[in-house]
Amino acid sequence: MLRQYQRIKSLHPDSILMFRLGDFYEMFYKDAELASSILGITLTSRNKNAPDSVPLCGVPYHSVEPYIVKLLKEGHKVALCDQVEDPKAARGIVRREVTRVFTPGVIADGLGLEAACSNNLASVYINDGAIGLACADASTGFFEASIHRGLPELNQELARLEPREVLVPSTDGGPSEIEASMGRAFPDLFVTRVEAERFDPALIQGLEGAAVLAREMPEAARAAGGLMSYLAATQMGRTGQMTGVRVAARAGVMRMDEETRRNLELTETMRDRAREGSLLWALDRTKTAGGARLMRRWVLAPLTDVAGINARLDSVEAIAGSPALMRALGDALGGVYDIERIASRAASGVAGVRDLVALARSLDAAAEIRGLLFGTEGLLSTLARSIDDLPELRERIARTLVDEPPLSAREGGLIRQGFCPELDGIRQAVSGSRQVIAGMEESERKSTGINSLKIRFNRVFGYYIEITNANRDRVPPRYIRRQTLANAERFVTPKLKEHEERVLGGEERARAMEFEIFASLREEAGREVASLQRTAEAAATLDALASFARVASEYDYSRPSVDDSLAISIRDGRHPIVERLCADRFVPNDVTLNGDDLRMLMITGPNMAGKSTVMRQTALIALMAQIGSFVPARGARIGVVDRIFTRVGASDALAQGRSTFMVEMSEAAVILREAGPRSLVVIDEIGRGTSTFDGLAIAWAVAEDLHDRVKGRTMFATHYHELTELALTRPSISNFHVAVREWNGKVVFLRKLTPGSTSHSYGIQVASLAGLPDAVISRAREVLANLEAGEFDEAGRPRIGSSSHAQQAQPRAAQYRLFTASAKSEVERMLGGIDANSVTPLEALNILHELAAKVENGRGDGR
Ligand code: ADP
């Protein structure tokens, strides 16, 4: 057996091999050592103490799943090796084969596969600067490919697709540049190296769309080939769900990089990576798993084509405008199971009985949905037309399978009475013999006179007659003894055995027949995979649209008007998440941006005033409009945004070896390099992680460049009040502030975005609100007053350190003065005032003397 193990293990050297032995999956050698420590299970060994001892550990076969999930989470692959023949029928060692390989990107249902998330596997192939990317979800049959120029572009696409695992061709050296870049941007992504020759476009031949891909995007076709080869290897060739590969539509999709996706908290919060508090959480009221997955994809890939956006908005309006339709659609969608994944399982031959019953019910619901959409227009009617409820398949499943089938297809009891006369005949014979056996208990009691005689069944002995020791002497001679227990004996009779044979043999035959009927039904369903995928997509799309409609009416959203202008004009806009989570009443705000005099809003105001909130809500409203959702505002006009850039908060990437400041600057660099006139740029503080001068200088220069060259629509929040001066010289910059009032030395937040700048930071008041000790607060007020009175005293000593208390700060040589670009010293001024042509030698000597004295007297004015 260990030889068999070694042979199989040699085929899967990079996976942990789980080897079925009786009721356990066992792991041996290094796998056992690794798994026992990860899974916290005991490591034992065969032939303990012997020189050839074999370390091993195992888990029960019926609860193997959580163990596999745990190994996957730790970044390991798992090959599951099963017995592929009946141990009873086997001669010698039972034949075993690996039946599935699980990797982070290729997981089976039930193994921690989330219903509301895709489980994407990506594959990357680079040639000559072109990066081919393929991405597939083996659980649904989703498969698309694209070409990218440069790593930033690749990373944006990966941010949209959220793969769990990415395949790269193995190289001789260490990690390639691309591996390193993906690792930096996506720390959770699992990178698998695959032999370069497996990236072969021939491997996708025959799939719909493969020929076009091979012709027009050879690198993408290679990436797709590598992906298919990996899928086939892990799924043991069962890839029937992969029916076609499409070219990812990049035109028409808003581009966002990973940072922006994170900063805007689209699918999870930044702080604790929770779903609650994310935009997806606020928007997702879908009823189906497919709808939830699609909603997530939409949120990560807003549209930029006006017609496509308005088609969705029209549908949402139609649904939201008819409460009856909305309710009926919701009910019908509630009856749709995960058609996409069931179809995939059917096509790859692993669907269960309950899957098929669920499929038939889903098709019923799909037919109902199509009916509900009768008479609609536009996208809704297109969707209705793509729903194929496959009446024949539906009817055949309903006719074949019982309503509440057992979990397993091999244990019988799944085929409806009346479906197959032969099966019914066998069942009848079985139940006849069962009745005979049941009747025998009564007749044997009578004939032996033993009232406690019982006929029982167990798996080892089959049917037997049990007689307690007290009645042992009344056992008739025709009874054949089989087993003696402490207080009873067990017997059989030829007649009992004969009927047992009929029952067990019949049951066996019935089970086999039931399974065969089921398997052919499953095959039939599998053949419809392409049509089922289309129906699933239509249902998911409707579900997502209906979800928008539901949220819109529940939270009083309105339909945005989306066009090709450069306007962003929001009336009474609200932040979709803060408005639900904040305890106070949310204060709506107007925001207007255009390509003209309001291209950049320079926003000031104290900490906590609501600057971030109003900027994020603007970005979120634009994004929501472009995924086809209504928006939290009284009215909104959105001129399509092609890209959103954000530079917000201070997120240290210390693990990746970059400080806050470094992260900040590289984000700013990306914005300046890539943003354009149609972009929306949100900058929430910049230049804070360095000295005031550096920081202000950088912020100033960045703002200028954004305005003068990039020309994107920009919201720029800053604490550097100096930046508000930019509005004086730049026509398209306007100053705004988020208003506060000061009352009894305390700040009151009004949360209103108001034209004009503010020169007051209220930092100390906010610090006091936050609970800084009173002594520190009053000292801070003192220092602030000093600062504001002027930085230096007459003697040139910096005033910052001076105090009304006894101890005086020492004069320091270090001097600085804010923003006097070329303040001249007195000495320089005197020198400048000399007319060298008219001055006499004596005067010159006097001046020289005076100058020397000035310099001697203490560097007069700080120069
Ligand atoms: P800033 O960026 O100016 O420091 P934030 O935007 O982070 O301030 O806002 C601080 C807090 O104020 C938010 O967490 C939120 O609870 C509250 N807030 C902000 N804007 C509003 C608003 N318009 N209405 C009600 N509460 C708000």
Side-chain angles (χ1 to χ4, degrees):
M1 192 215 58
L2 274 178
R3 260 202 309 277
Q4 185 189 38
Y5 171 86
Q6 302 281 21
R7 184 180 58 75
I8 296 173
K9 174 70 194 175
S10 73
L11 299 174
H12 299 275
D14 58 348
S15 302
I16 292 181
L17 185 66
M18 289 191 155
F19 190 79
R20 179 74 183 265
L21 260 186
D23 283 345
F24 281 80
Y25 282 107
E26 300 284 0
M27 288 151 277
F28 300 101
Y29 303 105
K30 287 245 162 352
D31 284 356
E33 283 160 14
L34 194 65
S36 68
S37 78
I38 294 173
L39 302 175
I41 53 178
T42 326
L43 184 68
T44 57
S45 63
R46 265 165 93 98
N47 311 338
K48 232 186 204 143
N49 307 326
D52 59 347
S53 111
V54 178
L56 72 101
C57 65
V59 297
Y61 84 97
H62 53 80
S63 56
V64 65
E65 293 179 352
Y67 294 108
I68 298 179
V69 172
K70 200 153 178 200
L71 292 172
L72 290 174
K73 281 221 172 92
E74 292 294 315
H76 297 284
K77 294 181 203 162
V78 178
L80 208 59
C81 177
D82 280 303
Q83 298 170 340
V84 291
E85 62 181 345
D86 187 347
K88 272 184 255 150
R91 265 190 259 137
I93 286 174
V94 186
R95 214 149 49 78
R96 291 184 176 82
E97 272 169 23
V98 168
T99 51
R100 286 299 278 269
V101 178
F102 303 105
T103 80
V106 193
I107 318 181
D109 282 326
L111 283 182
L113 189 61
E114 282 172 59
C117 285
S118 301
N119 201 77
N120 282 339
L121 169 69
S123 163
V124 170
Y125 184 90
I126 307 189
N127 182 34
D128 226 4
I131 307 175
L133 172 70
C135 187
D137 183 346
S139 72
T140 62
F142 167 84
F143 194 7
E144 62 174 40
S146 49
I147 291 277
H148 305 276
R149 305 263 155 204
L151 295 176
E153 206 179 285
L154 174 69
N155 283 349
Q156 279 153 21
E157 190 68 350
L158 290 174
R160 176 177 76 82
L161 292 164
E162 306 185 290
R164 302 280 155 102
E165 180 178 2
V166 60
L167 313 174
V168 296
S170 50
T171 51
D172 298 333
S176 61
E177 186 196 345
I178 197 160
E179 273 180 74
S181 148
M182 289 189 296
R184 265 197 310 276
F186 307 94
D188 297 339
L189 185 62
F190 187 81
V191 179
T192 300
R193 297 189 185 181
V194 173
E195 301 83 45
E197 59 274 15
R198 283 168 68 187
F199 289 73
D200 180 355
L203 293 168
I204 53 167
Q205 241 167 34
L207 296 194
E208 202 184 317
V212 181
L213 199 66
R215 202 170 50 239
E216 290 172 11
M217 301 184 165
E219 291 81 9
R222 279 181 176 273
L227 193 148
M228 266 316 264
S229 124
Y230 190 73
L231 265 190
T234 52
Q235 306 260 76
M236 307 301 126
R238 289 186 299 253
T239 54
Q241 75 275 35
M242 312 307 292
T243 52
V245 53
R246 41 184 173 199
V247 175
R250 286 190 7 98
V253 174
M254 183 196 283
R255 285 159 66 195
M256 273 180 289
D257 45 29
E258 177 61 12
E259 283 74 24
T260 296
R261 189 180 79 98
R262 262 202 297 262
N263 287 339
L264 291 178
E265 307 191 300
L266 297 186
T267 57
E268 61 186 27
T269 58
M270 280 216 266
R271 206 201 180 110
D272 37 20
R273 304 190 64 177
R275 181 183 152 91
E276 176 167 352
S278 68
L279 180 67
L280 188 61
W281 165 81
L283 283 183
D284 186 2
R285 289 284 186 288
T286 54
K287 304 264 183 182
T288 68
R293 289 195 294 271
L294 184 68
M295 174 68 81
R296 189 181 176 99
R297 289 212 294 275
W298 280 6
V299 163
L300 292 174
L303 304 178
T304 52
D305 106 88
V306 174
I309 295 167
N310 280 316
R312 286 190 196 169
L313 288 170
D314 288 342
S315 311
V316 175
E317 187 169 347
I319 300 171
S322 161
L325 175 62
M326 184 155 76
R327 212 171 318 111
L329 265 182
D331 289 346
L333 283 164
V336 175
Y337 294 80
D338 202 338
I339 302 180
E340 216 178 6
R341 283 191 176 160
I342 295 174
S344 281
R345 289 199 288 270
S348 55
V350 296
V353 203
R354 292 185 181 173
D355 280 338
L356 294 194
V357 172
L359 184 61
R361 293 195 184 137
S362 306
L363 290 172
D364 281 340
E368 193 185 330
I369 291 169
R370 202 182 39 201
L372 288 171
L373 296 178
F374 184 78
T376 53
E377 292 167 3
L379 178 57
L380 288 182
S381 91
T382 311
L383 290 173
R385 280 199 305 277
S386 1
I387 292 179
D388 182 351
D389 61 317
L390 297 169
E392 269 169 41
L393 175 65
R394 186 153 61 106
E395 194 261 345
R396 171 134 187 238
I397 295 174
R399 207 155 36 88
T400 311
L401 298 176
V402 299
D403 292 335
E404 303 287 338
L407 206 56
S408 161
R410 295 196 182 266
E411 303 294 319
L414 45 132
I415 306 297
R416 220 179 252 290
Q417 197 74 28
F419 175 75
C420 171
E422 195 186 345
L423 176 63
D424 289 348
I426 299 173
R427 281 171 168 169
Q428 214 160 16
V430 167
S431 95
S433 284
R434 274 224 186 87
Q435 261 164 17
V436 171
I437 292 172
M440 276 169 75
E441 191 171 80
E442 203 41 51
S443 62
E444 291 297 319
R445 276 183 191 168
K446 276 213 186 91
S447 72
T448 58
I450 306 172
N451 276 339
S452 63
L453 177 150
K454 286 194 181 73
I455 294 188
R456 288 198 166 139
F457 178 83
N458 75 24
R459 291 177 80 94
V460 182
F461 293 105
Y463 286 98
Y464 56 83
I465 302 169
E466 187 167 295
I467 293 184
T468 54
N469 286 349
N471 296 307
R472 203 191 303 182
D473 42 353
R474 288 153 83 182
V475 172
R478 64 191 163 87
Y479 278 23
I480 306 160
R481 179 177 297 120
R482 273 291 158 87
Q483 197 186 14
T484 305
L485 306 175
N487 51 1
E489 293 206 311
R490 291 174 174 177
F491 302 88
V492 294
T493 67
K495 191 176 158 208
L496 183 60
K497 279 292 124 180
E498 185 193 319
H499 285 284
E500 175 191 286
E501 179 58 38
R502 283 197 199 144
V503 170
L504 298 187
E507 278 179 342
E508 174 95 40
R509 259 183 306 140
R511 274 201 297 271
M513 196 176 279
E514 290 202 44
F515 183 77
E516 226 165 83
I517 295 171
F518 164 73
S520 95
L521 185 63
R522 177 165 68 188
E523 230 168 78
E524 188 179 327
R527 277 196 294 275
E528 300 290 356
V529 60
S531 153
L532 287 170
Q533 284 169 346
R534 270 194 304 279
T535 300
E537 190 177 331
T541 308
L542 268 169
D543 194 13
L545 294 169
S547 166
F548 285 155
R550 220 164 290 137
V551 172
S553 41
E554 204 170 315
Y555 294 97
D556 196 19
Y557 289 2
S558 67
R559 176 176 179 157
S561 106
V562 178
D563 56 31
D564 269 327
S565 69
L566 284 179
I568 290 184
S569 164
I570 298 167
R571 233 170 352 111
D572 281 342
R574 288 123 47 203
H575 190 294
I577 292 123
V578 177
E579 80 162 333
R580 288 195 213 171
L581 297 179
C582 82
D584 305 333
R585 200 181 61 80
F586 191 88
V587 181
N589 266 307
D590 295 345
V591 172
T592 306
L593 282 158
N594 57 34
D596 199 15
D597 58 326
L598 288 168
R599 212 164 63 213
M600 180 186 283
L601 309 187
M602 188 63 72
I603 304 173
T604 45
N607 260 309
M608 285 296 289
K611 300 183 298 298
S612 305
T613 306
V614 74
M615 291 194 300
R616 282 156 178 272
Q617 94 190 19
T618 306
L620 289 175
I621 285 174
L623 188 147
M624 287 165 79
Q626 291 184 225
I627 60 179
S629 166
F630 282 19
V631 297
R634 203 139 58 85
R637 174 172 177 214
I638 305 294
V640 161
V641 172
D642 67 347
R643 302 182 61 172
I644 298 181
F645 293 90
T646 57
R647 142 93 284 282
V648 307
S651 62
D652 257 323
L654 292 179
Q656 298 158 43
R658 300 191 304 163
S659 68
T660 311
F661 182 64
M662 195 55 195
V663 172
E664 220 185 283
M665 288 302 112
S666 37
E667 287 181 8
V670 170
I671 297 176
L672 294 181
R673 201 171 49 232
E674 302 194 3
R678 202 158 264 296
S679 305
L680 176 61
V681 180
V682 168
I683 295 195
D684 193 355
E685 304 288 358
I686 190 167
R688 302 246 278 165
T690 181
S691 78
T692 312
F693 279 12
D694 272 6
L696 171 53
I698 290 170
W700 187 286
V702 167
E704 271 183 0
D705 196 42
L706 276 171
H707 173 273
D708 299 351
R709 187 183 56 82
V710 175
K711 298 188 160 61
R713 289 164 286 180
T714 306
M715 299 180 86
F716 199 119
T718 182
H719 281 289
Y720 296 124
H721 300 295
E722 293 77 7
L723 288 189
T724 56
E725 286 179 22
L726 276 171
L728 302 176
T729 56
R730 296 294 193 289
S732 306
I733 301 184
S734 285
N735 289 330
F736 277 80
H737 68 282
V738 183
V740 295
R741 286 270 163 71
E742 196 165 358
W743 187 73
N744 282 348
K746 293 224 161 63
V747 272
V748 179
F749 297 111
L750 302 181
R751 314 272 184 227
K752 265 290 177 207
L753 186 66
T754 315
S757 63
T758 159
S759 59
H760 215 63
S761 287
Y762 299 97
I764 294 176
Q765 285 89 335
V766 175
S768 151
L769 280 181
L772 230 54
D774 288 345
V776 174
I777 293 292
S778 53
R779 175 66 179 140
R781 283 190 206 286
E782 206 170 65
V783 174
L784 180 65
N786 291 338
L787 281 167
E788 285 176 348
E791 297 92 343
F792 305 100
D793 65 15
E794 300 74 26
R797 278 183 293 247
R799 287 184 166 117
I800 296 174
S802 72
S803 166
S804 55
H805 300 300
Q807 357 135 263
Q808 281 286 333
Q810 293 301 309
R812 284 200 292 144
Q815 309 105 3
Y816 51 98
R817 172 172 282 180
L818 238 56
F819 315 111
T820 45
S822 55
K824 287 201 172 107
S825 71
E826 206 175 322
V827 175
E828 282 170 319
R829 271 198 301 277
M830 281 176 67
L831 280 170
I834 297 169
D835 179 2
N837 291 326
S838 65
V839 75
T840 66
L842 188 61
E843 278 169 336
L845 266 180
N846 279 335
I847 293 172
L848 204 52
H849 185 75
E850 208 178 319
L851 283 173
K854 274 252 182 285
V855 172
E856 187 68 8
N857 275 348
R859 299 166 162 80
D861 46 10
R863 298 291 294 193

